[in-house]
Amino acid sequence: MSLSNREIADVFERCADMLQIRGDNIHRVLSYRRAAESIRSLTRDLRVIANDGNLTDISYIGKTIAAKIDEMLDTGELEFYSKLKDEVPEGLVDIMCINGVGPKKAKLFWEQLDITSIDELRIAADGEKLAGLPGMGKKSQQKIIEGIEALARQTGRASIGDAKPAAQGILDLLLKLPEAQDGALAGSIRRGRETIGDVDILIAADESGPIMQRFVTMENVSRALGHGPTKSSVELLSGLQVDLRVLPKARWGTALCYFTGSLAHNVKMRQIALDHGLSLNEHALSPVDENKTIIEAADKILCDSEEKVYETLGLQYVPPELREDSGEIEAARAHRLPRLIKRADIVADLHMHTTWSDGKNTIREMVEACLKRGHQYIVITDHSRSLGIANGLSVERLLAQAEEVRQINNEMGETIQVLAGTEMDIKADGSLDYPDDVLAQLDFVIASLHSGLSQKRDQVTRRLLNAIRNPYVRMIGHPSARQFPNRDEVDADWDAVLAAAAEQHTILEINANPLRLDLKPELARLAKDSGVLLAINTDAHRVAHLDLMEFGIANGRRGWVEARHVVNTWSYERFRQWLHNIS
């Protein structure tokens, strides 16, 4: 049995989980977990690397782990893993996928109630058998039930943050071939969806053979699922499925429209086409008779661009991010679509972290990286003192950091403005992590939810409203606190939150990290319609994260957001004046 990179990484990940449940040394646990991460990031087949004798050249792969990889490549099994499964029930690893359940709780359920599966855990929770366990109660029991329900809703889709770079790399590779005339990502990636199923790629070319051959033989392909003259499908080493279609340039517009979707948008487009006496599919617009039957002898309308498709149907061009049947067709018919925000509109980033808390780069490194990206101004916003897991800053450290920020700002002159701020925790009881007299010494204050995320709606809403109404809080960071794939958004009265934010001129963030994308598009659209100020920020914890801005832009565009709704499209002079006026 030939194991893929992904399958070998999964074995090491499960070994790490079982070792942690068993109580092994954390360094031993991490050795397996890091090995799994390194293998997942590979773009080459492990078998090829092993045949070359280069396994130990991979990060975190030493001789012991390399020997285990060789064993799995040779036999399809790992004896060490089999022995672990005899000691630790494998179902406990599945239980750890439930949000809020770590190795200690999984072990507790096993030892106290002989629970070794999610189904057994759900039965025990429904029977109120968990509440009496050490460290548990009725609230903890309810959280387990909610975590199981959330896990059941997961679809197995990939984060756009993982899928898009992989897909873009393939597209760039294929566009280098002399036969390729044009190319694009389609499907949910092009629409900017938070999660992705299969990846769709389109290439325009007269000759498809060389393109298809290159596609199915890429180094990061685990197996070819199909190989034809116009369509091929592969599974990558990461497990992601990619579908490639090659078509003539003359049919590019209708094909790109069709394969971008969404299904609901396409259905409406086809109906509009019929209203114009045409049938629309991925190939062309074809005249139809009074019975809506295609007139085979009639000339088809070929569209080499999407703009031509929409123009033929009397519609304004609809940007891909809006194609979800959420009013865009009606707006396009009236030529009233918004002028969506673009990456070039962003001139600042108001949320980032440094080595002062849990970031990986210094203040100066972040400043210089932002300068290279064309930012006019930024705010340094490290975590506050209650977030101990993120090395949150005490009052003394916060003020010392502010002094360093201002010193660096002076050194930068007019090239970029650097402001001193904080991402302050909104604590579980609704209070804020720093007193007002400390906040008054900062240039910009973010307040965010990091704990108490399972509280009831009235509690969460009160906490958000308390932060919004604080005279020094300028922005609420990642307002719903959602994280993919395990954490749903908090339960809050968003009508009340948006009304307060509009009244108090408090910014709500669209967090660009693909694991958050928070506010979600629906809330972002409602917020801007309610007169709430928005900001699109990276929440960068390292220099590379500054390039996540594109995901926040796409998320904003999906929410019909324009540059005029977004604070960090303002010039520094306008931003500074706004801060002064609301102080």
Side-chain angles (χ1 to χ4, degrees):
M1 176 183 176
S2 178
L3 296 181
S4 67
N5 287 19
R6 177 172 53 112
E7 290 168 328
I8 290 174
D10 286 346
V11 169
F12 283 144
E13 190 70 43
R14 295 180 82 82
C15 284
D17 288 336
M18 286 190 279
L19 288 171
Q20 199 166 3
I21 292 169
R22 197 173 70 175
D24 278 46
N25 182 285
I26 189 62
H27 296 293
R28 191 180 190 200
V29 173
L30 287 176
S31 68
Y32 285 90
R33 213 174 292 287
R34 286 169 176 162
E37 291 171 356
S38 292
I39 292 167
R40 286 200 181 94
S41 68
L42 293 174
T43 58
R44 296 179 66 206
D45 193 325
L46 268 175
R47 190 172 296 279
V48 174
I49 299 174
N51 288 341
D52 291 340
N54 295 329
L55 284 177
T56 55
D57 291 343
I58 303 170
S59 298
Y60 300 114
I61 304 295
K63 291 182 179 179
T64 301
I65 297 291
K68 287 179 167 59
I69 293 172
D70 282 329
E71 181 185 347
M72 283 188 275
L73 291 174
D74 291 339
T75 67
E77 297 178 352
L78 180 62
E79 184 181 2
F80 175 70
Y81 181 41
S82 299
K83 289 180 177 178
L84 267 180
K85 286 189 288 185
D86 290 337
E87 292 184 51
V88 180
E90 195 173 13
L92 296 180
V93 176
D94 299 325
I95 288 174
M96 286 173 60
C97 294
I98 300 168
N99 190 30
V101 177
K104 290 183 179 179
K105 280 188 178 177
K107 187 176 184 180
L108 175 71
F109 301 149
W110 173 35
E111 292 181 342
Q112 297 286 328
L113 297 175
D114 198 28
I115 290 171
T116 60
S117 72
I118 292 175
D119 287 341
E120 291 174 351
L121 183 62
R122 179 59 191 257
I123 292 170
D126 287 342
E128 299 191 351
K129 295 181 180 179
L130 303 183
L133 295 177
M136 296 285 291
K138 287 192 176 296
K139 287 185 178 179
S140 300
Q141 182 173 263
Q142 183 58 34
K143 285 178 67 176
I144 296 296
I145 293 173
E146 292 169 356
I148 293 172
E149 291 172 349
L151 185 65
R153 292 194 296 271
Q154 292 179 24
T155 63
R157 293 165 64 88
S159 160
I160 190 173
D162 294 328
K164 187 174 182 180
Q168 188 65 51
I170 294 171
L171 176 61
D172 292 344
L173 174 70
L174 298 179
L175 284 175
K176 292 177 181 178
L177 298 175
E179 293 82 6
Q181 299 167 6
D182 202 348
L185 303 180
S188 48
I189 283 184
R190 188 162 183 247
R191 300 200 314 277
R193 298 280 302 192
E194 299 98 325
T195 60
I196 309 300
D198 298 340
V199 172
D200 293 295
I201 298 178
L202 270 61
I203 296 288
D206 295 326
E207 186 182 359
S208 65
I211 297 172
M212 289 300 187
Q213 183 61 27
R214 183 68 184 94
F215 174 66
V216 299
T217 58
M218 296 183 301
E219 285 188 337
N220 59 342
V221 169
S222 174
R223 57 181 174 141
L225 305 174
H227 186 184
T230 61
K231 178 188 175 182
S232 293
S233 298
V234 299
E235 180 183 300
L236 303 184
L237 293 171
S238 64
L240 193 65
Q241 180 176 327
V242 184
D243 299 332
L244 171 67
R245 291 172 176 85
V246 178
L247 60 142
K249 178 63 176 174
R251 300 181 185 273
W252 179 256
T254 46
L256 189 54
C257 277
Y258 180 85
F259 288 109
T260 294
S262 66
L263 176 61
H265 179 86
N266 285 353
V267 167
K268 279 201 170 179
M269 289 283 284
R270 288 197 293 271
Q271 183 56 55
I272 291 171
L274 289 173
D275 294 342
H276 282 74
L278 299 166
S279 174
L280 172 63
N281 61 23
E282 67 265 38
H283 304 296
L285 285 153
S286 305
V288 296
D289 59 23
E290 62 274 11
N291 298 316
K292 311 298 185 185
T293 302
I294 293 176
I295 304 171
E296 295 296 344
D299 290 336
K300 300 181 186 301
I301 302 172
L302 302 184
C303 300
D304 61 359
S305 71
E306 288 186 307
E307 287 79 2
K308 186 174 180 181
V309 177
Y310 286 96
E311 182 183 350
T312 302
L313 300 181
L315 299 173
Q316 184 182 1
Y317 172 75
V318 179
E321 297 91 346
L322 298 187
R323 300 180 196 175
E324 300 289 354
D325 189 24
S326 57
E328 74 280 3
I329 293 288
E330 294 75 12
R333 184 179 280 129
H335 286 254
R336 291 181 178 172
L337 285 170
R339 299 178 63 181
L340 298 179
I341 188 167
K342 306 183 300 295
R343 175 64 183 87
D345 295 321
I346 297 292
V347 300
D349 195 332
L350 311 181
H351 186 175
M352 66 186 67
H353 300 267
T354 73
T355 49
W356 278 80
S357 64
D358 60 343
K360 302 301 180 185
N361 293 95
T362 65
I363 295 174
R364 190 177 298 278
E365 288 169 341
M366 296 300 284
V367 171
E368 291 173 348
C370 288
L371 184 61
K372 290 178 181 177
R373 286 160 176 78
H375 289 324
Q376 294 181 17
Y377 56 99
I378 63 171
V379 189
I380 301 298
T381 54
D382 276 299
H383 287 291
S384 63
R385 56 188 177 182
S386 286
L387 213 60
I389 194 171
N391 190 30
L393 277 63
S394 65
V395 170
E396 293 75 18
R397 292 181 66 223
L398 175 68
L399 298 179
Q401 185 197 51
E403 184 177 342
E404 180 181 336
V405 168
R406 287 165 181 148
Q407 179 181 340
I408 291 175
N409 181 58
N410 290 335
E411 293 174 10
M412 300 306 296
E414 297 299 317
T415 59
I416 188 172
Q417 301 295 325
V418 189
L419 304 183
T422 182
E423 184 186 10
M424 175 177 59
D425 197 39
I426 305 171
K427 296 195 285 188
D429 64 1
S431 63
L432 301 179
D433 212 5
Y434 295 128
D436 285 359
D437 63 327
V438 172
L439 300 181
Q441 301 179 60
L442 302 175
D443 300 311
F444 189 83
V445 175
I446 303 172
S448 301
L449 297 169
H450 292 109
S451 58
L453 303 181
S454 60
Q455 290 179 342
K456 295 187 180 300
R457 170 177 290 207
D458 60 341
Q459 293 174 286
V460 173
T461 303
R462 279 199 301 270
R463 291 168 66 193
L464 287 168
L465 294 181
N466 184 54
I468 288 170
R469 291 168 179 157
N470 181 279
Y472 298 102
V473 172
R474 299 291 174 252
M475 185 174 83
I476 303 298
H478 44 75
S480 77
R482 69 174 186 170
Q483 281 189 0
F484 298 109
N486 294 325
R487 185 196 295 168
D488 290 336
E489 61 187 47
V490 294
D491 186 12
D493 181 346
W494 292 109
D495 288 336
V497 170
L498 297 183
E503 179 185 355
Q504 298 295 323
H505 307 290
T506 303
I507 304 163
L508 296 186
E509 180 180 59
I510 296 176
N511 189 294
N513 191 303
L515 298 179
R516 289 191 181 275
L517 296 178
D518 178 15
L519 295 167
K520 65 183 181 182
E522 297 84 354
L523 268 179
R525 185 175 180 180
L526 186 59
K528 63 95 178 175
D529 288 344
S530 303
V532 176
L533 293 170
L534 300 171
I536 302 176
N537 303 307
T538 62
D539 191 3
H541 283 66
R542 63 181 71 219
V543 164
H545 288 175
L546 295 169
D547 295 324
L548 299 177
M549 185 66 77
E550 64 167 304
F551 298 107
I553 297 294
N555 204 61
R557 287 170 67 89
R558 287 175 53 76
W560 296 54
V561 171
E562 303 179 50
R564 62 191 177 94
H565 303 126
V566 178
V567 168
N568 51 320
T569 66
W570 296 352
S571 68
Y572 176 68
E573 291 73 20
R574 181 182 176 187
F575 179 70
R576 193 74 191 188
Q577 186 61 45
W578 176 78
L579 287 176
H580 174 76
N581 289 341
I582 63 172
S583 297

